[in-house]
Amino acid sequence: MKGARLEILTPRLSAVLDKCKISDRDAVHLLTACVEASSLNPLNYVINRTSIRLSRQRFRELNASRIKQNFFDLNLKFLTIHWDSKILLDITGKTKVDRLPIIATVPNTEQLPGVPELSAGTGYEVSSAVYDSLEDWSLLHKVQAFVFDTTASNTGRLNGACVLLEHKLGRDILYLACRHHVFLNYSPKCIRWV
């Protein structure tokens, strides 16, 4: 008897499993039941937890790569970086972690380069997380402005994230401090008049 050879997982099916928060183990049961309901032999299909996990990881990586390439293909000349740390439940839902959503915007376009976990909410940690995300997306030379809340970890004159990021980038950046966490989109004209 030969082993199963038919792949059942597609990028769309993988995305649906992710969206519905279906574990790899539960996916095995669901896919097996679907194949049987279609009057097909489940033994002909690759349906096991390891194969499903590896396929889902591969599809996620391909999707992330495609999103990054599409954003890169926009050939943007400048962008604004927004960040604001949030304490959220971790993936297990049992403990809380400090996450830093980082958003890159230009008029009519926005992208989420990352939501790294912070070990501490210091200016150094925030600046390192933002810098690493920008470097990963090849956006370091396009940053013209920062939007952030007015906590000391962001605005400190010596160890604030903004000052540290400016030093890492090697140039002055426009600060758009926001006390009410307003999400700003702006045109190049706004940069000159602020």
Side-chain angles (χ1 to χ4, degrees):
M1 181 174 154
K2 60 183 177 181
R5 294 177 186 232
L6 299 173
E7 287 287 334
I8 193 166
L9 211 57
T10 64
R12 170 90 171 107
L13 183 54
S14 177
V16 168
L17 293 173
D18 286 346
K19 181 174 178 20
C20 295
K21 300 180 182 177
I22 306 294
S23 71
D24 297 331
R25 183 165 292 161
D26 288 342
V28 169
H29 300 297
L30 285 169
L31 295 174
T32 302
C34 287
V35 169
E36 288 173 348
S38 302
S39 300
L40 299 171
N41 184 356
L43 297 175
N44 293 334
Y45 293 88
V46 180
I47 305 177
N48 62 66
R49 191 172 63 83
T50 302
S51 295
I52 288 172
R53 180 177 52 81
L54 293 174
S55 293
R56 288 174 84 174
Q57 286 175 344
R58 186 178 76 246
F59 291 137
R60 287 178 195 132
E61 289 169 4
L62 288 172
N63 194 35
S65 171
R66 182 186 53 78
I67 290 169
K68 195 181 283 190
Q69 186 60 47
N70 288 345
F71 191 69
F72 184 76
D73 289 346
L74 294 174
N75 200 22
L76 302 171
K77 303 296 182 218
F78 67 92
L79 51 85
T80 300
I81 298 299
H82 307 249
W83 72 82
D84 186 11
S85 65
K86 299 288 181 197
I87 296 178
L88 303 169
L89 289 174
D90 71 354
I91 197 163
T92 65
K94 296 179 181 175
T95 60
K96 293 186 177 183
V97 294
D98 197 5
R99 291 278 182 183
L100 186 72
I102 302 164
I103 301 170
T105 64
V106 293
N108 304 317
T109 304
E110 58 188 55
Q111 183 59 56
L112 180 73
V115 187
E117 183 177 332
L118 300 176
S119 58
T122 66
Y124 177 77
E125 289 288 328
V126 170
S127 67
S128 294
V130 172
Y131 185 88
D132 291 345
S133 291
L134 295 174
E135 185 176 44
D136 182 47
W137 281 67
S138 302
L139 300 175
L140 292 172
H141 63 287
K142 297 180 181 191
V143 177
Q144 300 240 336
F146 297 146
V147 177
F148 51 90
D149 65 15
T150 55
T151 59
S153 62
N154 287 328
T155 60
R157 66 181 187 87
L158 298 177
N159 293 315
C162 294
V163 171
L164 296 172
L165 272 167
E166 272 189 331
H167 287 300
K168 288 180 180 187
L169 294 173
R171 65 182 188 281
D172 291 335
I173 302 292
L174 177 65
Y175 291 1
L176 298 171
C178 177
R179 292 181 53 83
H180 300 287
H181 311 283
V182 175
F183 185 79
L184 298 175
N185 280 318
Y186 67 89
S187 69
K189 289 181 182 178
C190 293
I191 294 175
R192 289 189 217 110
W193 295 105
V194 171

